[in-house]
Amino acid sequence: MDIRAAIADERRRIADLVESLEPRQLDTPSLCGEWTVKEVAGHLLAALGKPPVPVFSLLARNGFRIHRANAQLAVLTADRPAADLAQALRDNADNPFKPPIVGYAGQLTDLQVHGQDMRRPLGLPHGLRLDRLKVSLEFLTSGRAIGFTSKRRLAGLRFEASDLNWFSGVGPLIAGPAEALMMAMCGRGVVLPELDGPGVRILDGRLTRRR
């Protein structure tokens, strides 16, 4: 699989999604913290486009707390018409930016997870490709998915995808669709009822303690 082509395609899919939504849908709370659906799209663009404010001053205003500044940057980036946000995502679809440590696999996973953070609260089908989901599952269980999940969250569990030939880990089983496995690994507890196996209760406990 050409991972950069997959990344570009997922950015265009997010752009199409943003452009298709009504204002009330764009303002719907996403699965990602306190962001709305539109603000999640702003987050996906923020790493690619020109920031709306100087990054250093944004960091300073947030006490140099990177995660807090990043959250605010997403909100500021999303403060534009949805059509402009969608066009900016398309314009940057082929942007070759490669994040440190997590690389292109992390970037593809970011797009797929955040795409679901937007679609799921709206009851929209995901249409994610199984070969791309497999890349994300391999990445999330690789031990280098910093910022996505943790070794402690997944430790001692076995994950099996019911819709593709993929499994990882040893221990109590968690089985289900690849998309739901990806979202669960990234801390989205809302998908746990879609998964089966004795490991689901264990993962639920870990996510509950984190909250």
Side-chain angles (χ1 to χ4, degrees):
M1 187 187 72
D2 185 338
I3 193 165
R4 286 183 57 182
I7 289 168
D9 182 57
E10 291 298 335
R11 285 177 182 150
R12 293 187 183 101
R13 292 186 69 229
I14 296 291
D16 291 345
L17 173 64
V18 169
E19 204 165 51
S20 73
L21 299 178
E22 299 176 1
R24 63 174 179 80
Q25 292 175 304
L26 291 166
D27 291 337
T28 298
S30 74
L31 296 184
C32 191
E34 298 180 357
W35 284 339
T36 65
V37 166
K38 189 180 181 187
E39 288 164 353
V40 173
H43 163 71
L44 293 173
L45 178 62
L48 305 172
K50 182 179 179 181
V53 295
V55 174
F56 184 81
S57 63
L58 184 64
L59 279 168
R61 290 203 304 269
N62 286 278
F64 293 95
R65 286 171 287 188
I66 294 176
H67 291 297
R68 183 172 175 178
N70 181 54
Q72 189 174 353
L73 180 60
V75 174
L76 293 171
T77 302
D79 188 23
R80 63 177 80 181
D84 292 354
L85 189 59
Q87 188 57 52
L89 284 165
R90 290 193 188 96
D91 291 343
N92 283 277
D94 294 300
N95 189 309
F97 170 67
K98 184 178 184 180
I101 303 177
V102 300
Y104 287 133
Q107 193 162 78
L108 178 60
T109 302
D110 200 46
L111 286 160
Q112 294 193 106
V113 171
H114 283 316
Q116 290 306 94
D117 286 336
M118 301 165 72
R119 294 184 189 98
R120 274 181 166 268
L122 299 175
L124 299 176
H126 61 75
L128 295 174
R129 286 177 40 170
L130 289 176
D131 57 343
R132 297 175 188 176
L133 285 168
K134 187 172 184 179
V135 170
S136 291
L137 293 176
E138 292 284 0
F139 165 71
L140 290 168
T141 54
S142 69
R144 58 184 178 85
I146 298 172
F148 291 84
T149 191
S150 66
K151 293 180 181 179
R152 180 177 297 180
R153 179 185 295 167
L154 308 185
L157 296 172
R158 178 178 176 85
F159 297 89
E160 292 186 6
S162 58
D163 48 0
L164 59 83
N165 183 24
W166 181 87
F167 60 87
S168 178
V170 176
L173 176 66
I174 299 177
E179 180 268 342
L181 289 177
M182 175 185 72
M183 297 298 286
M185 290 179 192
C186 290
R188 276 52 169 187
V190 68
V191 307
L192 292 180
E194 302 169 31
L195 301 172
D196 295 310
V200 174
R201 180 179 56 82
I202 296 171
L203 182 57
D204 186 25
R206 293 173 183 177
L207 295 182
T208 300
R209 286 194 296 273
R210 181 173 176 268
R211 292 193 293 268

